[in-house]
């Protein structure tokens, strides 16, 4: 195997966008202001991913655990999502971006679910970048829903195989490949119940930069670092 990554550009980049609250606090602003500025980073990174020819960009926007935040913040985040999805839909169309949302969507408001469904339907045929938003998602939830799907299709008979379970994960069911590169901003070095199964062989990249400050140059630095990594998948 070569000394460096044999596939220099990751096919799927995923980002745990962290540090919005701290970014706001450092400036004496409300946490929500950090989320609003974070949307600008979402835009910048989406644009750069498309420019670089990355096929899949996924963003951990709201975890199942995030439902436990103060109601006011949850509501602000949810209304930001509705606003953003509706505002960005024409841009997705113009730039050939396919928009996909994955997670335990039953917990979302009807208004947000409608916005998501409309945007997904409108962009389903686009062939450029696929932008995936993980909303109300957790890796453990994904594994359990996959197991339940397999059980239901097996009629409760026999053992669940690894292949069956893998195929029933929400990402695989939506034909999204496992992430090659997972970026986490804000200096936290943990996976926080994100794509637990899918990240078995993912390369991690941690940076101290807070999400609202993570733009094109910071994204480029992560891609440059990825290109130097040697991926062996447990082999020599
Ligand atoms: C983490 O920062 C960020 C979130 C939980 C929300 C991410 C949401 C956005 C960037 C805005 C909405 C995005 C879209 C795509 C519409 P934190 O609040 O945990 O920050 P902290 O760790 O500093 O408190």
């Amino acid at each position: 195997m070569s000394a460096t990554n044999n596939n220099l550009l990751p096919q799927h980049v995923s980002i745990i966008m962290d540090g919005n609250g701290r970014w706001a606090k450092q400036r004496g602003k409300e946490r929500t202001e950090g989320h609003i500025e974070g949307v600008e980073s979402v835009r910048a990174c989406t644009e750069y991913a498309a420019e670089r020819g990355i096929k899949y960009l996924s963003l951990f926007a709201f975890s199942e655990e995030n439902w436990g935040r103060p109601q006011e913040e949850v509501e602000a985040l949810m209304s930001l999502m509705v606003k953003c999805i509706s505002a960005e839909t024409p841009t997705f169309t113009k730039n050939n971006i396919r928009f996909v949302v994955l997670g335990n969507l039953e917990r979302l408001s009807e208004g947000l679910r409608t916005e998501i469904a409309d945007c997904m339907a409108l962009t389903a045929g686009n062939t450029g970048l696929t932008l995936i938003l993980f909303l109300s998602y957790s890796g453990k939830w994904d594994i359990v829903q996959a197991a339940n799907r397999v059980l239901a299709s097996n009629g409760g008979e026999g053992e669940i195989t690894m292949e069956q379970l893998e195929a029933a994960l929400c990402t695989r069911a939506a034909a999204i490949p496992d992430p090659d590169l997972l970026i986490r901003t804000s200096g936290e070095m943990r996976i926080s119940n994100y794509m637990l199964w899918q990240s078995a062989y993912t390369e991690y990249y941690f940076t101290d930069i807070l999400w609202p400050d993570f733009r094109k140059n910071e994204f480029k630095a992560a891609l440059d670092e990825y290109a130097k990594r040697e991926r062996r998948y447990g082999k020599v």
Side-chain angles (χ1 to χ4, degrees):
M1 187 79 64
S2 68
T4 52
N5 194 342
N6 49 6
N7 201 349
L8 298 180
L9 192 70
Q11 180 184 209
H12 178 180
V13 179
S14 194
I15 310 180
I16 301 179
M17 308 179 288
D18 201 3
N20 294 349
R22 276 163 284 169
W23 183 93
K25 195 171 174 209
Q26 283 172 5
R27 288 159 180 80
K29 297 180 176 194
E30 295 291 326
R31 292 177 58 80
T32 310
E33 294 291 316
H35 298 316
I36 292 170
E37 192 59 28
V39 173
E40 294 308 315
S41 296
V42 170
R43 272 199 199 102
C45 290
T46 305
E47 214 174 284
Y48 188 58
E51 186 187 317
R52 289 290 301 261
I54 288 165
K55 291 303 293 175
Y56 302 89
L57 174 67
S58 60
L59 305 170
F60 199 9
F62 195 86
S63 69
E64 283 227 288
E65 291 78 11
N66 288 156
W67 287 113
R69 290 194 175 198
Q71 197 186 345
E72 198 186 338
E73 185 174 347
V74 171
E75 279 169 13
L77 270 168
M78 291 300 150
S79 71
L80 194 59
M81 305 283 174
V82 176
K83 229 171 87 185
C84 279
I85 296 169
S86 130
E88 295 305 319
T89 302
T91 319
F92 295 155
T93 305
K94 184 169 152 255
N95 295 311
N96 199 20
I97 294 171
R98 179 167 72 115
F99 182 67
V100 174
V101 177
L102 298 175
N104 189 2
L105 305 188
E106 281 169 18
R107 297 185 74 176
L108 303 179
S109 72
E110 203 164 320
L112 180 51
R113 274 188 282 164
T114 306
E115 204 61 64
I116 291 168
D118 289 351
C119 184
M120 283 178 64
L122 249 162
T123 63
N126 291 348
T127 54
L129 172 75
T130 296
L131 176 66
I132 305 123
L133 217 56
F134 282 91
L135 270 187
S136 189
Y137 176 85
S138 85
K140 289 183 183 178
W141 164 82
D142 198 359
I143 293 167
V144 170
Q145 70 78 31
N148 282 324
R149 269 206 231 191
V150 178
L151 277 176
S153 68
N154 282 357
E157 296 288 320
E159 287 188 2
I160 295 177
T161 67
M162 201 135 57
E163 290 72 21
Q164 280 179 315
L165 191 87
E166 201 154 60
L169 292 169
C170 71
T171 45
R172 292 292 182 98
I176 312 291
D178 291 345
D180 300 295
L181 172 64
L182 174 62
I183 299 168
R184 184 171 188 150
T185 59
S186 90
E188 309 293 351
M189 297 199 201
R190 53 180 173 264
I191 189 161
S192 297
N193 202 2
Y194 191 33
M195 285 191 263
L196 298 177
W197 182 297
Q198 296 91 329
S199 62
Y201 280 100
T202 298
E203 295 293 326
Y204 290 149
Y205 178 87
F206 297 105
T207 170
D208 287 340
I209 306 276
L210 304 176
W211 176 248
D213 291 327
F214 191 92
R215 301 283 163 94
K216 180 176 169 171
N217 287 343
E218 290 72 29
F219 198 173
K220 182 182 179 302
L223 295 177
D224 289 348
E225 165 66 26
Y226 175 84
K228 292 185 209 147
R229 301 267 179 99
E230 183 190 2
R231 301 185 77 188
R232 290 196 301 272
Y233 301 95
K235 302 186 180 80
V236 289

